[in-house]
Amino acid sequence: MRRALTLLRVLAQHQEAGIDLQGVMASTGLERSTAHRLLSCLLEERFAERNPASRKYRLGVDAMQLGFASLRHTPLLDTLRPFTQKLARLSGDTVFLVIRQGDYAFCLLREAGSFPVKVFTIDQGERRLLGVGAGGLALLASLPDDEIAQLYQRHAPLYEQAGFSHAGMMKMVRRTRQAGYSTIVDTITPGVSGVGVAFPVSALTWVAVSFGAISSRLDARRRVEMGELLRRECQAWAEEYAGQRAPGRLERPGA
C-alpha cells in the first residue's frame, strides 16, 4: 500500500509531462518488476493512464476525481480558513489562498478585509497559470529553475499574451526567493498590487497565501511591511501545523 501511494505521488509530480517506467524506477527506487506490477494495477483501476505514443504515465481520471472532490472541503482547508480570516483582520486587505494544481494555481479561499475598496482579482474555484498573481508567483518560485523553464515552454503563448517573457519571469522568481515573498504591481489588473508567500503542507502539496489591494494602498513601503508580516505568519503557521500532524497531536493550529 505504501509503495502504491508513493507511486501516485510521483505520477502527480509529473502530471503535465508524464513519466516513463525508467523515471518511475529512478524516482521511487522500485525494481522494474515491482514498478510495472503497481503501474498495471493503477491502470486497471483507472488511477493511472499511459500515453501509447510516448509510453509515459500520468494520473488517471479516478485519481483526479478524488482530488477534485476533496479540494472544496478538507481538514486542511478547514484548518486554513481561520488563518486566512486572521490575516484579513490583521491587514484589512483581501486574502487569497491558492494551491498548486499542475501548472496552475487554484483558488481555494478568498477572505475580504475591512478596507472599503475591495480587490477581487480571482474567485474561489478559479485557476491561473503559475506565476500570474502574487500567490501563483510565490508557488512558482518554490520550483527548481529547470522545472520553471519546462512550464514556461509548455505555455509560452499564454505567458507572452499576459506580458511575461521567460527572462522577466525568472527575474521575478529570483526577487521572490531573495525577499522571502512575492510582489506584483499592475500585472493582472491596472492599479492593483499584491504580495504572497508559499509554504508546504505535505511532501507533495504547496499552498500560497497572498494579500491584494489597490496600489495606492499597497505602495512600495507597505508591500515590504505586508510581505514581512505574511512571511512571519505563514512560517509560524506551517511550523505549528507540522507539529500538530505528529503522532498523537490532532489539535488545530492556534487552538
Side-chain angles (χ1 to χ4, degrees):
M1 174 66 74
R2 190 175 299 275
R3 289 182 298 183
L5 292 175
T6 298
L7 185 51
L8 284 172
R9 290 191 179 98
V10 169
L11 295 181
Q13 290 169 341
H14 296 84
Q15 182 65 11
E16 298 299 327
I19 185 171
D20 60 17
L21 180 59
Q22 293 296 325
V24 168
M25 293 164 57
S27 298
T28 62
L30 295 172
E31 297 290 338
R32 183 182 185 88
S33 59
T34 302
H36 186 269
R37 175 172 54 81
L38 290 173
L39 285 168
S40 297
C41 180
L42 292 176
L43 286 171
E44 291 174 6
E45 297 296 330
R46 301 180 71 193
F47 277 81
E49 62 181 27
R50 186 189 186 200
N51 186 307
S54 66
R55 303 174 70 87
K56 290 184 176 181
Y57 297 87
R58 294 183 176 87
L59 290 178
V61 292
D62 280 7
M64 296 174 66
Q65 183 62 33
L66 287 177
F68 294 148
S70 69
L71 275 177
R72 292 188 179 275
H73 189 79
T74 66
L76 174 62
L77 188 55
D78 292 341
T79 302
L80 278 164
R81 185 175 284 106
F83 179 57
T84 58
Q85 292 170 344
K86 172 188 174 182
L87 291 173
R89 289 195 302 271
L90 287 174
S91 66
D93 299 319
T94 305
V95 177
F96 303 91
L97 171 68
V98 298
I99 188 171
R100 185 186 175 191
Q101 190 183 69
D103 288 356
Y104 297 85
F106 180 90
C107 183
L108 286 174
L109 283 175
R110 187 183 69 188
E111 295 288 345
S114 59
F115 190 70
V117 181
K118 313 295 184 186
V119 168
F120 298 141
T121 52
I122 188 172
D123 291 326
Q124 185 173 335
E126 288 188 7
R127 67 177 191 171
R128 288 201 182 101
L129 278 171
L130 290 175
V132 180
L137 176 56
L139 287 171
L140 185 73
S142 71
L143 303 179
D145 288 357
D146 59 345
E147 189 171 346
I148 295 175
Q150 294 169 12
L151 188 154
Y152 187 91
Q153 186 176 19
R154 287 194 293 270
H155 304 284
L158 292 176
Y159 279 121
E160 291 169 0
Q161 183 179 347
F164 292 93
S165 67
H166 181 249
M169 178 175 287
M170 290 308 301
K171 182 178 180 180
M172 292 190 299
V173 164
R174 288 189 291 270
R175 187 168 61 227
T176 297
R177 291 170 179 167
Q178 183 176 7
Y181 55 87
S182 64
T183 61
I184 64 165
V185 180
D186 301 336
T187 57
I188 299 176
T189 304
V192 172
S193 298
V195 296
V197 170
F199 53 94
V201 292
S202 75
L204 182 63
T205 304
W206 280 67
V207 299
V209 179
S210 62
F211 294 136
I214 56 174
S215 297
S216 59
R217 171 172 169 80
L218 202 57
D219 58 13
R221 179 194 60 78
R222 194 165 186 272
R223 287 198 298 273
V224 173
E225 178 185 344
M226 291 294 99
E228 290 294 339
L229 169 67
L230 193 57
R231 184 182 59 79
R232 291 193 304 269
E233 290 290 335
C234 288
Q235 181 177 351
W237 188 95
E239 290 174 353
E240 188 173 356
Y241 179 68
Q244 300 295 351
R245 295 175 66 214
R249 297 289 300 283
L250 300 178
E251 299 89 349
R252 176 176 298 179

